[in-house]
Amino acid sequence: TIARAREVIGQDPELDRRYAAVKIEKFDADIAALREAGDEENAAAMQAERDQYVFDDIAERVQRYPNDQHLRFQLGEQYWKYSDQDPSLVDEALQQFQISQRSPKDRVASLYLMAKCFVKKDMTDMAVEQLKSSLELLPGMDKQKMDVYYMLGELYEKEGRLDDASKYFKEIYRADVTYKDIADRVQRIYAAQKEKGNA
């Protein structure tokens, strides 16, 4: 029905989105059925086909609707997802996130993923800039803010800036002791600071 509507109406971003969503649901149902039947080989092959469809569909829709900033964000996510296999995709992801950060809905997530891209390119100072920019948009301590704090803590810890790392890790620890490995992180920082003080 959606395919027929697309033929009649022509280009329509909402119909395109719904069509893709239905196709992905069908892929997911088929993959689940194969796994339930114990057919992991065909399930894996279909998963790869599904992933390729998602990538191609988003890339095609960005071509059709270049001003859709949320689509740009989704395409950036796809490039980021495959950047371990192809490091050149980091720059492709960055380009999309630089556009999608203009969208209020995707600004924080775009800045966060831009920071991850900069880390992968060994541009720590630029990663920190993106993370600090995102904090200006996160007044409350929610999961998004904890993710940003955690990444800042990690970056500062790697640079040996233990006091700066401690500040961000402790904020998370105060809010949620079960977040990732934050309890271990805080204890390790305390121990490192103590050792540094005794040196």
Side-chain angles (χ1 to χ4, degrees), residues 157 162 165-166 169 185-194:
E157 186 179 9
L162 299 182
S166 174
F169 286 146
R185 288 263 182 187
V186 168
Q187 286 181 341
R188 190 165 69 240
I189 289 281
Y190 266 119
Q193 284 176 317
K194 186 177 180 182

Side-chain angles (χ1 to χ4, degrees), residues 138-147 179:
L138 292 167
M141 182 61 86
D142 57 8
K143 181 172 184 308
Q144 236 179 352
K145 190 166 187 174
M146 286 191 278
D147 288 344
Y179 177 89

